[in-house]
Amino acid sequence: MSEKMRLQKYLAKCGIASRRHAEQMIRDGRVRVNGHTVTEMGVTVSEHDLVEFDGKPVVPEEKPVYIMLNKPRGYVTTVSDPQGRKTVMDLVDDVPERVYPVGRLDYDTTGLLILTNDGDFAYHSTHPGHEVNKTYLAEVEGIPSENALKKLREGILLDGRPTSPAKVELVEQKKHSAVLRITIHEGRNRQVKRMCEAVGHPVKKLKRIAIGNLTLGDLKPGQWRYLSASDIRKIKGDKNG
């Protein structure tokens, strides 16, 4: 890496965080370049510069690593937690490479989570402009009417702007609840839960079952596996892998 690149991209290549989170770390004053603290965007660096994160030198990861985890309930999707709660990193502590989660799943949400040290991949997987589909099974209170399902499909107003159209299918009807399969490509905070709440059917259980065309398969809660090149293509939407 002899060419110049933006500092946040360099940090992503070092496996510190995604580019988006790296920007916040820079603003927080946690990054130094050649002995000087950097807090503004726009700085470029190369392999000849000394880049430090939290006082420790960092260099780009040579081998990109991609891991799929079936996240159980009761874990936060962060590298560390100031409240001392269990994090998804506790489930992959036998992975020799330094990885971090791509996007987030709530504390009580389960299912498919990707961890990697490839910042560019993380950025492209989570940025709504790239429209990578995420599919969830949501058990909701009550039985949604066709009108409620139509609203979910067409978009719900959240934070003053509508969500993008979603794919919504009623897959199971129980006595006092229903299971919906919901596919979205945005990544707003608690989006699926807030959409369902908005139409009067709060979520009781939520599980992410697919990203792009990559599914959990027979991976049990708490288990993980490395992803292949074919798996990565499935995330990008190639059904043939």
Side-chain angles (χ1 to χ4, degrees):
M1 191 209 81
S2 57
E3 78 280 3
K4 287 276 190 177
M5 70 173 63
R6 289 189 178 275
L7 181 56
Q8 55 267 42
K9 182 176 182 179
Y10 182 92
L11 291 171
K13 285 186 174 292
C14 292
I16 300 301
S18 67
R19 273 193 270 182
R20 189 178 303 175
H21 290 137
E23 289 180 0
Q24 188 59 52
M25 293 169 175
I26 293 170
R27 293 190 186 96
D28 292 342
R30 301 174 66 184
V31 181
R32 291 191 298 181
V33 176
N34 299 326
H36 300 285
T37 299
V38 175
T39 57
E40 296 182 358
M41 301 303 114
V43 173
T44 58
V45 296
S46 74
E47 62 184 3
H48 303 296
D49 295 299
L50 172 62
V51 179
E52 297 171 279
F53 173 70
D54 285 348
K56 297 180 180 179
V58 293
V59 295
E61 300 275 0
E62 292 186 4
K63 178 188 175 186
V65 174
Y66 311 91
I67 287 171
M68 177 170 68
L69 168 72
N70 186 349
K71 176 192 173 296
R73 296 181 63 158
Y75 288 81
V76 291
T77 312
T78 55
V79 173
S80 60
D81 182 64
Q83 300 179 39
R85 294 173 295 180
K86 293 180 292 186
T87 81
V88 292
M89 305 309 297
D90 297 324
L91 299 169
V92 295
D93 57 2
D94 50 345
V95 174
E97 299 87 1
R98 180 171 56 183
V99 295
Y100 57 88
V102 177
R104 293 199 174 190
L105 291 177
D106 289 346
Y107 185 77
D108 58 349
T109 298
T110 65
L112 202 164
L113 181 70
I114 304 297
L115 298 98
T116 187
N117 58 4
D118 184 342
D120 284 337
F121 170 82
Y123 175 78
H124 287 286
S125 298
T126 55
H127 195 284
H130 294 98
E131 299 191 357
V132 176
N133 285 333
K134 286 91 175 175
T135 302
Y136 299 81
L137 287 181
E139 182 176 353
V140 300
E141 296 179 8
I143 312 298
S145 65
E146 269 304 316
N147 186 51
L149 297 176
K150 183 173 180 285
K151 288 180 179 178
L152 291 173
R153 291 174 183 135
E154 293 180 346
I156 301 293
L157 195 66
L158 298 178
D159 303 321
R161 57 192 179 93
T163 59
S164 295
K167 295 179 183 178
V168 182
E169 178 187 357
L170 177 61
V171 295
E172 185 180 357
Q173 188 170 315
K174 303 182 180 181
K175 189 173 182 180
H176 301 295
S177 64
V179 178
L180 306 178
R181 180 184 286 111
I182 301 175
T183 300
I184 60 174
H185 67 256
E186 297 175 291
R188 301 200 209 177
N189 185 38
R190 300 180 64 252
Q191 181 171 337
V192 172
K193 290 182 178 179
R194 294 169 67 198
M195 287 172 63
C196 293
E197 287 170 5
V199 296
H201 296 278
V203 171
K204 299 175 65 176
K205 293 180 182 178
L206 186 63
K207 179 180 182 178
R208 183 157 66 192
I209 59 172
I211 298 178
N213 292 309
L214 178 70
T215 61
L216 273 172
D218 58 1
L219 202 64
K220 294 180 173 57
Q223 291 185 341
W224 64 269
R225 70 172 177 85
Y226 287 107
L227 297 180
S228 65
S230 174
D231 292 326
I232 300 302
R233 290 194 292 272
K234 288 179 181 177
I235 291 174
K236 296 177 181 178
D238 183 351
K239 292 183 180 180
N240 297 319

